[in-house]
Amino acid sequence: MGSSGATPGTPAGGPSAPGRQAGGTPRAALAELLAGNRRFVSGQPVHGHDVTAAAAAASGDQQPYAVVLGCIDSRVPLEAIFDQTFGAICVIRTGGHVLDRAVCGSIEYVVGQLGVPLVMVLGHERCGAVGAAVDALRAGERPGGSLSHLVDEIAPAVIEAGLDDPAVHPLAIRRHVRRTVRTLRDDDLLAGPVAAGRVAVVGGLYDLATGEVALVDPA
Ligand SMILES: [Zn+2]
């Protein structure tokens, strides 16, 4: 975490956009985030070539416009797939984007203290954490250690998807994104700003094959 800063400005090396300001609208922030993914998919990133210490230093005070909660999967580096520069987005990664108090507190901080209008929960195809929950439920064996927390948090999505369904893994991935979105929308400190329309919590799904992020319908 760091200072929210008070000096507006364009992040180094990138175009200015209405969404790229803390305190902007959720809609503009989402448009900016998805535009970054399109740049990544098209092989024409603005920031992909500029991952240097100089770019980091030029970011100055941070003014993030979105926070993305994603999985730890090594194939899904969030700043890269959204083509974001230093200071633009806050990133949280846990196995299967599972929530705990530290994660929720971090999101509350970003929204409440930094004025960020958009929270995206990003799942991805072939998620190993969701797969581990499927395996644990099929075997009827809960893993030991803290890994049990991940399995316990993902299990309801697997059960909703139907353990006997051949497509349980991809179905559970989508359901788990939706469940995580709903939990965050109901969070004590987020529910008010969400109800007022100042903050949006959305779900997305990353396609490992194409690099595309598609929004997940909240229904
Ligand atoms: Zn994963």
Side-chain angles (χ1 to χ4, degrees), residues 70-73 75-76 94-97 123-130:
C71 181
I72 56 170
D73 194 295
R75 299 165 294 183
V76 194
T94 65
H97 56 76
H124 67 97
E125 304 288 0
R126 291 183 274 148
C127 181
V130 175

Side-chain angles (χ1 to χ4, degrees), residues 125-216:
E125 304 288 0
R126 291 183 274 148
C127 181
V130 175
V134 172
D135 292 345
L137 286 168
R138 280 185 173 155
E141 289 181 9
R142 192 165 172 266
S146 297
L147 181 55
S148 62
H149 177 67
L150 298 191
V151 167
D152 289 348
E153 291 298 305
I154 297 170
V158 176
I159 292 167
E160 275 183 15
L163 200 52
D164 296 329
D165 193 315
V168 60
H169 193 182
L171 290 172
I173 286 169
R174 285 160 178 76
R175 286 184 177 273
H176 181 51
V177 168
R178 291 188 185 111
R179 291 180 63 91
T180 308
V181 167
R182 285 202 296 269
T183 300
L184 287 173
R185 285 176 178 170
D186 290 340
D187 178 273
D188 282 349
L189 298 189
L190 301 180
V194 167
R198 294 196 303 274
V199 172
V201 184
V202 301
L205 195 67
Y206 179 72
D207 187 320
L208 290 168
T210 66
E212 286 182 57
V213 171
L215 293 179
V216 173

Side-chain angles (χ1 to χ4, degrees), residues 48-146:
H49 64 286
D50 200 21
V51 184
T52 63
S59 62
D61 289 336
Q62 65 166 336
Q63 264 197 321
Y65 70 91
V67 53
V68 182
L69 168 61
C71 181
I72 56 170
D73 194 295
S74 61
R75 299 165 294 183
V76 194
L78 299 179
E79 289 90 343
I81 67 167
F82 286 112
D83 187 32
Q84 298 297 310
T85 190
F86 297 89
I89 63 173
C90 294
V91 162
I92 303 168
R93 297 174 66 175
T94 65
H97 56 76
V98 162
L99 300 172
D100 63 12
R101 291 193 71 204
V103 173
C104 291
S106 300
I107 295 173
E108 289 169 0
Y109 172 82
V110 172
V111 169
Q113 303 300 312
L114 302 184
V116 165
L118 179 69
V119 181
M120 176 178 278
V121 176
L122 187 69
H124 67 97
E125 304 288 0
R126 291 183 274 148
C127 181
V130 175
V134 172
D135 292 345
L137 286 168
R138 280 185 173 155
E141 289 181 9
R142 192 165 172 266
S146 297

